């Protein structure tokens, strides 16, 4: 039996990394409960338009949310569709993108729009391989479009997700011992639920961005601390902070 590229099996995950079914269910349940209380109200969460979601994901690469929100709306006011963006010039797109920086991103986005219009009838394809074949779309961005726009139960792994999953399920030593990206993607794939995958992935990113942060994690009120591998092994983070980011 052929396994689709976007499918994830338990056998694909090293046994030293894979949590059991009870641990997976507990993590999902607590994360989604946390999200219900602490979710951020972001404009790209009010749409299922694949193009709008793509714009937000590319803008958010290496850029803080607070800087992206106003530019996201300005960009879509000027270029509300892929066709509108494809009909512009690279210079105009790059000029509107300022001051977000990383100027290869608007050029890639413009190229994606032109390819979508030329090859896919002005829509982004709902296929991982086709998305990743477009310049500027990697595995994370393809997964974000598939999950947030097309409702696919696929994992996404960015810096925040890697930090959360690494801390909760691996601990510092095992996380440091990981080589490459496969084990982390397999772990993320084993955890993503078939239902509510949109909320789950958004919750995971919010949790990493606002609570399980790199420098000042909120360990004291954290709903994961009783089974967090890092908290259990060290507890040092909790003693360094009063639980307020």
């Amino acid at each position: 039996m052929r396994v689709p590229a976007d499918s994830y099996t338990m056998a694909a995950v090293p046994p030293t990394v894979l949590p059991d079914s009870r641990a997976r269910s507990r993590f999902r349940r607590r994360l989604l409960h946390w999200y219900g209380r602490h979710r951020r109200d972001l404009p790209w969460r009010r749409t299922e338009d694949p193009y709008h979601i793509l714009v937000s994901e590319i803008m958010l690469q290496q850029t803080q949310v607070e800087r992206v929100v106003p530019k996201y709306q300005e960009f879509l006011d000027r270029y509300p569709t892929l066709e509108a963006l494809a009909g512009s010039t690279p210079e105009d797109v790059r000029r509107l993108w300022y001051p977000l920086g990383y100027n290869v991103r608007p050029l890639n986005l413009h190229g994606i729009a032109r390819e979508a219009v030329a090859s896919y009838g002005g829509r982004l394809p709902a296929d991982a391989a086709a998305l990743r074949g477009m310049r500027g779309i990697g595995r994370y961005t393809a997964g974000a479009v598939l999950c947030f726009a097309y409702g696919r139960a696929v994992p996404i792994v960015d810096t925040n997700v890697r930090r959360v999953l690494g801390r909760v399920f691996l601990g510092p030593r095992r996380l440091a011992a990981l080589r490459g990206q496969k084990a982390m993607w397999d772990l993320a794939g084993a955890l993503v639920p078939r239902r509510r995958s949109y909320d789950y992935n958004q919750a995971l990113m919010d949790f990493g961005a606002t609570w399980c942060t790199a420098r000042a994690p909120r360990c004291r009120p954290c709903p994961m601390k009783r089974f967090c591998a890092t908290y259990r092994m060290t507890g040092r983070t909790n003693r360094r902070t009063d639980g307020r980011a």
Side-chain angles (χ1 to χ4, degrees):
M1 181 179 67
R2 294 179 62 191
V3 179
D6 287 330
S7 294
Y8 295 83
T9 63
M10 300 302 100
V13 184
T16 56
V17 173
L18 177 64
D20 61 28
S21 60
R22 182 178 178 182
R24 296 196 301 271
S25 295
R26 179 178 55 190
F27 177 75
R28 294 167 186 150
R29 184 174 61 254
R30 294 197 180 188
L31 182 66
L32 288 169
H33 179 75
W34 175 91
Y35 185 62
R37 298 179 60 189
H38 301 285
R39 63 184 296 170
R40 293 180 291 182
D41 181 21
L42 301 173
W44 43 87
R45 292 180 177 170
R46 305 174 204 147
T47 181
E48 295 180 354
D49 187 306
Y51 164 60
H52 293 189
I53 290 169
L54 176 68
V55 170
S56 72
E57 291 297 337
I58 291 182
M59 284 187 170
L60 287 165
Q61 294 170 6
Q62 305 296 321
T63 307
Q64 294 178 339
V65 168
E66 293 75 12
R67 295 181 61 204
V68 168
V69 170
K71 184 58 69 173
Y72 168 82
Q73 194 58 60
E74 181 185 3
F75 193 90
L76 291 179
D77 286 344
R78 176 79 66 85
Y79 304 120
T81 64
L82 283 163
E83 290 88 347
L85 179 58
S88 186
T89 66
E91 293 75 17
D92 286 343
V93 176
R94 185 163 53 185
R95 191 177 301 114
L96 181 60
W97 193 268
Y98 181 85
L100 292 185
Y102 297 93
N103 285 333
V104 69
R105 293 182 297 171
L107 300 183
N108 286 339
L109 188 56
H110 183 254
I112 291 167
R114 296 189 66 182
E115 184 173 351
V117 169
S119 301
Y120 298 100
R123 287 185 56 83
L124 290 173
D127 176 78
L131 286 169
R132 294 181 66 183
M134 295 176 162
R135 185 179 181 88
I137 297 183
R139 187 172 184 177
Y140 166 83
T141 303
V145 171
L146 290 173
C147 181
F148 302 145
Y150 293 118
R152 304 284 181 81
V154 297
I156 56 175
V157 177
D158 65 358
T159 301
N160 287 323
V161 171
R162 178 182 174 86
R163 182 171 58 255
V164 171
L165 298 186
R167 282 176 173 170
V168 172
F169 293 104
L170 302 180
R173 293 181 181 177
R174 292 168 69 192
L175 180 59
L178 287 186
R179 296 293 179 266
Q181 299 294 323
K182 183 179 185 304
M184 184 58 67
W185 276 95
D186 287 345
L187 173 59
L191 288 164
V192 68
R194 292 184 179 181
R195 297 180 179 179
R196 295 195 67 187
S197 57
Y198 180 105
D199 286 342
Y200 170 84
N201 279 326
Q202 295 284 8
L204 197 52
M205 291 190 296
D206 270 11
F207 190 69
T210 63
W211 273 47
C212 192
T213 58
R215 296 184 179 180
R218 303 182 64 182
C219 295
R220 184 172 297 174
C222 178
M224 315 298 179
K225 70 178 181 181
R226 290 188 178 181
F227 54 88
C228 174
T230 300
Y231 186 87
R232 184 173 62 247
M233 289 176 63
T234 68
R236 288 194 297 268
T237 301
N238 190 49
R239 292 197 294 269
R240 288 198 301 266
T241 179
D242 65 357
R244 297 178 178 84

